Amino acid sequence: MKRQCIKVSKKKGEAVRRMLLELEILDNSVKIGADEIFLYLPLTREPAPEELESFPENVELTKFDFKRQEKKPVPEDLLGFSPAYEVIGDIALLEDPDLDTQKALKIANAILRTQPNIKTVLKPLTPVIGEFRVREFEIVAGEPRTETIHREYGCRYKVDLARAYFTPRLSTERSRILAWIKEGDTVVDMFAGVGPYSVLIAKSKKPSKVLAIDKNPDAVRYLRENITLNSVKNIEAIEGDAREEAKKFAGTADHVIMNLPHNAFEFLDSAVLLTKPGGIIHYYGITPEDDLFESSIELIRMAAEKAGRKIKVLEKRVVRSYAPYQYNICIEARVI
Ligand code: SAM
């Protein structure tokens, strides 16, 4: 069955597949096509020109003869509705915070019966909270644990979701950051968690060094395990406060990653201190719809000026919507 599709090199295929999923235009009714070099990703509609612009270079709109997808069972087949859940490794997290115990159990059993890769179903009892950005969970069904190994872009991340932060929702963002890093760069990941930015960068690029800092001892314990699990050597895992650690590594960073969106602004002095002349700060924030970037840029500028330096904004973007009228944003600023 010939259908319109995106032709992309196998290397970039996973990133483009995720972009199509986010745009909700990947056609799941047929199997993804492949030859020696390329993947062929089937589309439910032609991407708009501005959507195409966000794809990597060298993707091509073409046609391909796809095979029909045999339909795998889904929880909806048993429940009559499609439950919202997120998958991290072999754990499913139910997304509706208002589910009562009985309904949660019914959904969990449908997930376990239809999704052989899922071994445990959890229901978050709190939002992501506190300095260490963790949640409490109830184990609804399956194996009684909150630890899992999640695979992303050829890397593996072991994490206990009740002890350290991790979300697959930032996977596209992580692959985007990669494009900024050049061979030989020094990268400081100020809020590294279990290492999804640091490990990916160390594995995919040839940075001279990645300093991965986190204050949560459990996160750093998993970060160290993940360094071993992914056989990466050029990362130094540091358990400590990013503000204190910044003083020891002043002026060393080509890139400073600030993935602590609610509080990153409090650490801007330290991020500026870390950057080499010409180094880049990757700043994350949670901002309101009517002031997506300007106040944050002003804060970065003020921190730089306090240190007698200037900034040049290289890019600003919405990463994802966070809550009604609130967005998770990223600003890339060069510190001169
Ligand atoms: N970058 C990781 C990721 O994408 O999974 C983790 C991001 S999580 C939003 C922020 C992390 O910052 C948490 O792991 C938390 O423990 C850590 N953190 C909070 N305050 C810190 C501080 N003062 N110094 C170092 N790490 C801190």
Side-chain angles (χ1 to χ4, degrees), residues 131-132 165 174 191-192 196-197 214-216 240-242 259 267:
E131 191 179 28
F132 296 162
Y165 178 92
R174 293 192 259 273
F191 312 104
Y197 282 86
D214 205 284
K215 200 172 175 182
N216 175 357
D241 187 310
N259 184 23
F267 293 82

Side-chain angles (χ1 to χ4, degrees), residues 218-271:
D218 288 317
V220 177
R221 185 163 56 83
Y222 282 103
L223 167 64
R224 294 203 165 108
E225 269 200 61
N226 291 332
I227 291 171
T228 309
L229 201 59
N230 291 283
S231 314
V232 278
K233 298 215 163 33
N234 45 356
I235 303 187
E236 188 180 338
I238 300 170
E239 182 190 321
D241 187 310
R243 209 176 266 120
E244 294 307 311
E245 298 304 320
K247 294 176 194 159
K248 302 180 195 158
F249 299 100
T252 60
D254 296 287
H255 296 272
V256 177
I257 301 171
M258 301 187 76
N259 184 23
L260 184 66
H262 290 275
N263 299 82
F265 65 91
E266 295 170 10
F267 293 82
L268 276 166
D269 292 350
S270 304

Side-chain angles (χ1 to χ4, degrees), residues 32-317:
I32 288 173
D35 58 24
E36 295 275 288
I37 305 166
F38 295 105
L39 288 183
Y40 299 84
L41 303 170
L43 299 171
T44 52
R45 66 164 167 82
E46 188 167 323
E50 63 274 15
E51 289 172 337
L52 268 178
E53 272 172 30
S54 59
F55 290 126
E57 280 168 28
N58 303 330
V59 305
E60 191 186 316
L61 263 180
T62 181
K63 292 214 162 168
F64 187 81
D65 199 3
F66 289 98
K67 291 202 172 69
R68 197 171 274 290
Q69 187 89 271
E70 289 122 43
K71 194 177 171 308
K72 294 199 183 109
V74 289
E76 191 178 359
D77 299 336
L78 303 181
L79 296 166
F81 63 92
S82 186
Y85 65 95
E86 181 180 16
V87 175
I88 305 180
D90 61 0
I91 293 181
L93 300 187
L94 301 180
E95 283 179 353
D96 179 355
D98 302 323
L99 286 177
D100 61 42
T101 311
Q102 231 182 350
K103 194 161 183 197
L105 189 59
K106 204 170 152 194
I107 294 173
N109 285 332
I111 294 172
L112 291 173
R113 277 176 59 194
T114 56
Q115 310 298 301
N117 298 335
I118 303 294
K119 304 291 180 220
T120 299
V121 181
L122 303 180
K123 182 183 151 193
L125 295 175
T126 64
V128 172
I129 45 172
E131 191 179 28
F132 296 162
R133 311 305 298 152
V134 287
R135 277 188 279 191
E136 284 174 28
F137 296 96
E138 174 191 330
I139 294 164
V140 183
E143 295 173 15
R145 60 177 161 84
T146 47
E147 187 181 80
T148 188
I149 296 180
H150 184 80
R151 289 174 172 71
E152 187 178 286
Y153 298 120
C155 299
R156 283 181 294 165
Y157 303 111
K158 190 167 178 187
V159 58
D160 185 332
L161 298 170
R163 289 176 173 273
Y165 178 92
F166 182 82
T167 177
R169 292 201 173 138
L170 288 175
S171 63
T172 307
E173 179 56 23
R174 293 192 259 273
S175 79
R176 195 195 61 82
I177 287 283
L178 264 192
W180 288 90
I181 316 290
K182 294 194 302 296
E183 189 173 334
D185 281 350
T186 296
V187 179
V188 180
D189 188 357
M190 287 178 81
F191 312 104
V194 303
Y197 282 86
S198 292
V199 170
L200 180 65
I201 290 167
K203 194 156 176 145
S204 318
K205 299 283 169 160
K206 288 184 181 147
S208 63
K209 185 149 212 175
V210 180
L211 295 172
I213 305 165
D214 205 284
K215 200 172 175 182
N216 175 357
D218 288 317
V220 177
R221 185 163 56 83
Y222 282 103
L223 167 64
R224 294 203 165 108
E225 269 200 61
N226 291 332
I227 291 171
T228 309
L229 201 59
N230 291 283
S231 314
V232 278
K233 298 215 163 33
N234 45 356
I235 303 187
E236 188 180 338
I238 300 170
E239 182 190 321
D241 187 310
R243 209 176 266 120
E244 294 307 311
E245 298 304 320
K247 294 176 194 159
K248 302 180 195 158
F249 299 100
T252 60
D254 296 287
H255 296 272
V256 177
I257 301 171
M258 301 187 76
N259 184 23
L260 184 66
H262 290 275
N263 299 82
F265 65 91
E266 295 170 10
F267 293 82
L268 276 166
D269 292 350
S270 304
V272 169
L273 181 66
L274 280 164
T275 48
K276 279 181 184 168
I280 296 170
I281 292 179
H282 304 265
Y283 174 88
Y284 290 93
I286 303 289
T287 58
E289 194 175 52
D290 57 1
D291 181 13
L292 282 175
F293 304 111
E294 284 321 305
S295 296
S296 301
I297 291 173
E298 203 38 46
L299 290 172
I300 304 172
R301 181 168 291 121
M302 276 160 53
E305 279 174 4
K306 246 167 72 186
R309 300 173 71 178
K310 287 192 163 47
I311 62 160
K312 180 166 189 260
V313 175
L314 305 177
E315 200 177 307
K316 48 189 186 183
R317 267 160 328 90

